[in-house]
């Protein structure tokens, strides 16, 4: 997790704030971004060039408990721009047979496009050209041409650390959605500020937004993370502590918290859960069809990055959760997608944020785009992709009676 200390007071650049060494103990400073052309960003960041066949040989067994989960053999897909150490927070959307990927870099949120979702990515725009903008999440209303991009925006630093809020921009999908310069985004509007006590622990922070429509409530739900954890001796990247929910009558808002307490957070035990990172439902498994009385139906499935600690070490991995109502979640697999034990692995240390999709070119699999680090302190953060069969997730989401009936 990056909790950047943004040294600009405004966007575009403003005055530099001076910070002492003690104030930078955990935070990661964002240096003045180097303004690069989109072609140079493509050249520096894209690691897989040329067509990448989506065949069985292109995938390999993934770290974690699930034998069904596979990593793309050519991972990572994206590396940081030249002179930087991270690219993070992927979110993905398929539009007109092209895969659109938004990621955070030091200068803001970058938009890339690929035909196969695996290779030959092209940077088409800086969607949010502002340092401190990160962890985007994209959604569309059914049959709508409007794309909504929620993201976390860092405020100017206070006392050496930063506060963050959730913001929103939107754009109508252009006729050539894969071309540069065709996206006309709205001005950013504020969606959520840290207000409650548990949203202001150590750092006043809300972020990692995930927005979806809940047909049972007839509302849009915003899942978000809050506060920060400074209890990791082996990492200088403090992750969030809690997950909360807010609701709105329309995708644009206004969003109001459903509960004044978090629905996911820290817990004791072995290993001890010291942080609850990003939370997103799995695309294709985000519509509830479950009868609680009979126990028959199809539950919701979600992924959550959880930070656990045993003795003196900590790790961030992605857990698989299931729910019959969208509010109470059961842990299915705590290490569904976990760091690799291989010495020179690009994801040796921590796996952080992610997003999912069922691509039209491979409808039998759910693709999971995620970021990870190759070490704990002095490290590089990249973006890769894994996949898992839809039928495997169906076996978890559905009861036996429903599954047999569907077949």
């Amino acid at each position: 997790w990056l909790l950047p200390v943004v040294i600009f007071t405004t966007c575009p650049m403003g005055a530099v704030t001076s910070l002492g060494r003690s104030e930078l103990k955990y935070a990661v400073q964002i240096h003045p971004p180097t303004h690069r052309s989109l072609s140079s960003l493509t050249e520096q960041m894209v690691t897989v060039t040329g067509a990448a066949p989506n065949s069985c040989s292109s995938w390999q067994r993934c770290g974690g408990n699930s034998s069904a989960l596979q990593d793309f053999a050519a991972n990572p897909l994206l590396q940081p721009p030249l002179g930087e150490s991270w690219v993070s927070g992927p979110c993905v959307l398929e539009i007109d047979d092209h895969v659109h990927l938004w990621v955070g870099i030091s200068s803001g949120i970058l938009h890339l496009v690929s035909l196969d979702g695996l290779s030959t990515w092209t940077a088409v725009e800086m969607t949010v050209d502002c340092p401190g903008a990160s962890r985007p999440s994209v959604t569309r209303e059914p049959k709508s041409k409007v794309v909504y991009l929620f993201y976390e925006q860092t405020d100017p630093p206070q006392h050496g650390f930063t506060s963050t809020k959730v913001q929103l921009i939107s754009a109508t999908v252009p006729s050539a959605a894969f071309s540069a310069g065709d996206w006309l985004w709205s001005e950013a509007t504020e969606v959520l500020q840290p207000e409650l006590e548990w949203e202001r622990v150590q750092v006043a922070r809300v972020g990692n937004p995930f927005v979806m429509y809940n047909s049972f409530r007839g509302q849009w739900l915003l899942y978000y993370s809050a506060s920060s954890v400074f209890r990791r001796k082996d990492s200088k990247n403090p992750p969030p502590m809690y997950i909360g929910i807010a609701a709105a009558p329309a995708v644009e808002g206004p969003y109001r918290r459903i509960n004044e307490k978090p629905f996911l957070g820290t817990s004791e035990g072995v290993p001890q859960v010291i942080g609850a990172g990003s939370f997103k439902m799995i695309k294709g498994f985000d519509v509830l069809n479950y009868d609680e009385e009979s126990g028959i139906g199809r539950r919701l499935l979600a992924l959550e990055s959880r930070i656990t600690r045993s003795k003196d070490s900590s790790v961030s991995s992605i857990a698989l959760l299931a729910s019959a109502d969208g509010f109470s979640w059961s842990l299915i697999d705590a290490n569904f997608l976990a760091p690799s034990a291989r010495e020179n692995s690009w994801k040796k240390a921590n796996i952080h944020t992610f997003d999912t999709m069922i691509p039209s070119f491979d409808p039998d699999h759910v693709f999971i785009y995620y970021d990870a680090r190759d070490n704990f302190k002095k490290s590089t953060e990249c973006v890769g992709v894994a996949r898992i069969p839809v039928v495997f997730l169906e076996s978890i989401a559905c009861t036996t009676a429903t599954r047999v009936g569907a077949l």
Side-chain angles (χ1 to χ4, degrees):
W1 289 94
L2 289 172
L3 184 60
V5 174
V6 180
I7 65 173
F8 306 113
T9 57
T10 60
C11 293
M13 291 186 293
V16 175
T17 300
S18 176
L19 300 174
R21 291 178 60 87
S22 62
E23 295 171 320
L24 292 174
K25 181 178 180 181
Y26 294 99
V28 177
Q29 186 175 7
I30 290 182
H31 298 282
T34 301
H35 292 282
R36 306 174 177 89
S37 66
L38 294 173
S39 59
S40 64
L41 284 171
T42 298
E43 182 179 351
Q44 294 170 19
M45 296 178 65
V46 177
T47 62
V48 184
T49 58
N54 184 25
S55 61
C56 292
S57 61
S58 301
W59 302 86
Q60 60 189 14
R61 175 81 159 77
C62 196
N65 292 335
S66 174
S67 60
L69 191 64
Q70 297 176 312
D71 245 346
F72 185 49
N75 272 342
L77 305 179
L78 301 175
Q79 63 188 6
L82 188 65
E84 300 183 16
S85 63
W86 58 274
V87 53
S88 66
C91 71
V92 64
L93 184 67
E94 188 173 6
I95 304 172
D96 298 333
D97 298 323
H98 286 75
V99 179
H100 294 252
L101 184 69
W102 286 266
V103 294
I105 58 177
S106 68
S107 53
I109 295 173
L110 178 67
H111 179 185
L112 303 102
V113 178
S114 168
L115 187 59
D116 60 14
L118 299 171
S119 63
T120 320
W121 293 92
T122 301
V124 297
E125 63 165 355
M126 283 297 300
T127 301
V128 183
D129 192 8
C130 179
S134 62
R135 303 182 185 96
S137 178
V138 64
T139 190
R140 291 176 71 179
E141 292 184 277
K143 300 180 181 180
S144 171
K145 286 287 187 178
V146 179
V147 171
Y148 298 91
L149 189 110
F150 296 78
Y151 62 97
E152 182 175 327
Q153 179 64 58
T154 305
D155 286 333
Q158 297 177 359
H159 310 298
F161 299 112
T162 57
S163 60
T164 66
K165 57 191 175 186
V166 175
Q167 296 196 154
L168 167 66
I169 57 174
S170 61
T172 301
V173 176
S175 56
F178 51 88
S179 299
D182 292 333
W183 290 77
L184 300 176
W185 294 93
S186 66
E187 292 292 324
T189 59
E190 185 178 296
V191 175
L192 203 68
Q193 277 271 14
E195 298 175 357
L196 302 178
E197 183 178 352
W198 59 270
E199 297 171 347
R200 305 174 65 86
V201 179
Q202 300 192 23
V203 173
R205 178 185 188 183
V206 291
N208 282 297
F210 170 69
V211 175
M212 61 160 292
Y213 183 70
N214 184 300
S215 58
F216 284 87
R217 294 179 62 97
Q219 291 179 309
W220 289 84
L221 299 183
L222 165 62
Y223 295 82
Y224 64 95
S225 61
S227 295
S228 288
V229 179
F230 292 95
R231 294 182 291 170
R232 305 178 71 190
K233 296 180 180 179
D234 53 359
S235 177
K236 292 185 178 181
N237 302 312
M241 295 181 70
Y242 304 109
I243 303 291
I245 313 177
V251 64
E252 302 95 333
Y255 285 88
R256 299 288 183 265
R257 292 161 178 80
I258 292 178
N259 198 318
E260 292 195 355
K261 295 182 179 180
F263 82 98
L264 288 174
T266 59
S267 66
E268 299 299 324
V270 180
Q272 179 188 19
V273 179
I274 62 172
S278 59
F279 173 96
K280 292 182 179 180
M281 292 191 199
I282 300 175
K283 304 291 174 55
F285 295 86
D286 50 1
V287 177
L288 184 65
N289 182 17
Y290 187 82
D291 183 80
E292 188 173 0
E293 185 174 342
S294 64
I296 296 176
R298 191 173 187 268
R299 296 181 295 175
L300 299 168
L301 296 182
L303 299 177
E304 181 212 359
S305 58
R306 292 156 51 94
I307 301 86
T308 58
R309 181 174 60 188
S310 297
K311 296 182 179 180
D312 293 327
S313 63
S314 64
V315 66
S316 175
S317 56
I318 295 177
L320 176 63
L321 312 176
S323 175
D325 59 13
F327 299 97
S328 299
W329 292 85
S330 301
L331 179 63
I332 304 299
D333 186 349
N335 294 297
F336 177 72
L337 180 54
S340 172
R342 294 197 304 271
E343 181 61 28
N344 296 319
S345 173
W346 72 280
K347 58 173 189 177
K348 179 183 176 182
N350 290 306
I351 296 176
H352 294 138
T353 52
F354 55 86
D355 200 11
T356 63
M357 66 175 289
I358 301 178
S360 61
F361 55 82
D362 190 356
D364 295 329
H365 290 89
V366 171
F367 278 39
I368 306 170
Y369 293 84
Y370 64 99
D371 59 38
R373 287 184 167 267
D374 61 1
N375 214 325
F376 289 95
K377 292 185 178 180
K378 294 183 179 179
S379 61
T380 300
E381 188 165 13
C382 298
V383 170
V385 64
R387 72 174 189 178
I388 192 162
V390 170
V391 292
F392 177 84
L393 295 176
E394 286 281 3
S395 68
I396 297 172
C398 301
T399 65
T400 302
T402 303
R403 193 162 66 249
V404 172
L407 295 175

